[in-house]
Amino acid sequence: MRGRRRARSTVEVAVALLRPLSRLTSLPGPVHLSRLSGKCFSLVESTYKYEFCPFHNVTQHEQTFRWNAYSGILGIWHEWEIANNTFTGMWMRDGDACRSRSRQSKVELTCGKSNRLAHVSEPSTCVYALTFETPLVCHPHSLLVYPALPEALQRRWDQVEQDLADELITPQGHEKLLQTLFEDAGYLRSPEENESPKLEGGADGLGFETLENCRKAHKELSKEMKRLKGLLTQHGIPHAKPTETSSLEHLGHKTPRLGPPEQLRGDPGLRGSL
């Protein structure tokens, strides 16, 4: 299955991959870009293979023979980025866990002679930037928002512009009304939908809203620990239970220790530019 990561259960991966399809009864955005739906485009950079499936997801696969080679999801289709009445990029969010957040990717569409994934970078930790070239966006009006809207929403936009010209609304009100219009069109997600739940262990708290969620998380964590111990035993790597916190640490004198091996559960992400 595309985008499978060792740390995720089969059910979690299936939900992550199928969820965007359930939302796409009709593809949001310019109609001509629907030709890209159902296709995937790959790029190999160094030891990593990236795969971009428009309106679906972005995945990364480590091309090595390591037993714990990373293979995971860098984001699933979420929403458009819109600026100046133009679709400026695709946001793929809710990817695999990366420290206290989820991986996410922004895909910029640029004019090109053929459909191809041209470049991938990681401008900040766990946030990826992809450049996708396609002849479908070479026309100067190909990414304008207004022509892509249904007639009813176009009329609604016309009224918003008229209200602004008549000074019935402020520029701030004009911006908010357009934001709501784009949300109703399915191009943007509402602020409530964009609020990602905090991952356990993050800086903002544990993120468990109920005891039942905590129990489920503990059960999953126990399964993962058992699986990792089995892998260590299989490869002859010694392991032991973590030692109890010493009294010196309780008093504020922490014993220096090495950090956790980030490579154990797969590559944590790119380090610098590719």
Side-chain angles (χ1 to χ4, degrees):
M1 181 180 293
R2 183 184 295 112
R4 183 176 59 187
R5 187 188 182 194
R6 296 178 184 275
R8 282 190 169 194
S9 68
T10 304
V11 174
E12 290 175 81
V13 173
V15 170
L17 293 178
L18 295 178
R19 181 170 53 187
L21 296 179
S22 64
R23 292 203 300 260
L24 299 180
T25 53
S26 61
L27 295 176
V31 176
H32 58 280
L33 293 185
S34 63
R35 302 175 193 175
L36 300 175
S37 178
K39 301 178 181 179
C40 295
F41 307 89
S42 301
L43 174 68
V44 176
E45 290 272 12
S46 184
T47 59
Y48 296 98
K49 177 183 178 182
Y50 299 91
E51 192 169 50
F52 167 54
C53 303
F55 303 104
H56 190 30
N57 67 6
V58 175
T59 58
Q60 180 188 49
H61 309 277
E62 185 177 355
Q63 307 292 288
T64 67
F65 294 100
R66 294 194 307 136
W67 66 270
N68 63 338
Y70 177 79
S71 180
I73 303 172
L74 303 186
I76 60 175
W77 166 250
H78 191 79
E79 64 180 347
W80 285 99
E81 180 176 83
I82 297 176
N84 299 322
N85 186 23
T86 304
F87 296 104
T88 57
M90 290 181 173
W91 272 107
M92 307 286 189
R93 304 187 192 273
D94 299 330
D96 284 332
C98 181
R99 299 180 182 178
S100 61
R101 59 190 301 186
S102 298
R103 300 175 191 268
Q104 57 182 325
S105 303
K106 178 185 174 182
V107 183
E108 180 185 4
L109 304 179
T110 62
C111 176
K113 294 182 180 180
S114 62
N115 295 325
R116 74 183 189 99
L117 183 58
H119 182 67
V120 179
S121 64
E122 188 180 13
S124 60
T125 305
C126 308
V127 179
Y128 302 81
L130 289 74
T131 301
F132 180 73
E133 295 181 356
T134 174
L136 297 175
V137 301
C138 290
H139 192 280
H141 298 163
S142 60
L143 291 177
L144 291 180
V145 176
Y146 187 89
L149 289 169
E151 290 185 9
L153 291 181
Q154 287 182 350
R155 291 193 296 269
R156 182 170 149 192
W157 193 340
D158 293 339
Q159 186 60 54
V160 171
E161 297 298 334
Q162 186 62 51
D163 290 345
L164 178 64
D166 295 338
E167 298 184 349
L168 298 178
I169 57 176
T170 64
Q172 292 81 3
H174 172 267
E175 184 178 346
K176 289 182 179 179
L177 288 173
L178 288 186
Q179 174 80 14
T180 302
L181 189 151
F182 297 153
E183 291 172 7
D184 292 344
Y187 302 158
L188 301 180
R189 307 291 293 276
S190 66
E192 293 77 13
E193 291 178 303
N194 278 326
E195 290 181 359
S196 300
K198 299 296 181 181
L199 299 176
E200 57 268 28
D204 296 327
L206 294 178
F208 298 123
E209 297 181 355
T210 66
L211 180 59
E212 183 63 23
N213 288 343
C214 183
R215 287 173 176 168
K216 289 181 179 179
H218 180 268
K219 185 177 180 180
E220 290 294 324
L221 202 57
S222 298
K223 289 181 179 179
E224 181 62 13
M225 290 180 64
K226 184 177 180 180
R227 186 186 70 82
L228 291 175
K229 288 180 180 179
L231 288 173
L232 292 173
T233 302
Q234 179 182 349
H235 290 82
I237 302 175
H239 61 87
K241 294 183 178 180
T243 56
E244 295 294 332
T245 304
S246 67
S247 58
L248 287 177
E249 289 179 308
H250 282 296
L251 293 174
H253 302 284
K254 296 184 178 180
T255 304
R257 63 179 64 179
L258 296 176
E262 291 187 274
Q263 299 295 328
L264 183 61
R265 296 180 60 177
D267 183 77
L270 304 179
R271 301 297 185 185
S273 64
L274 293 171

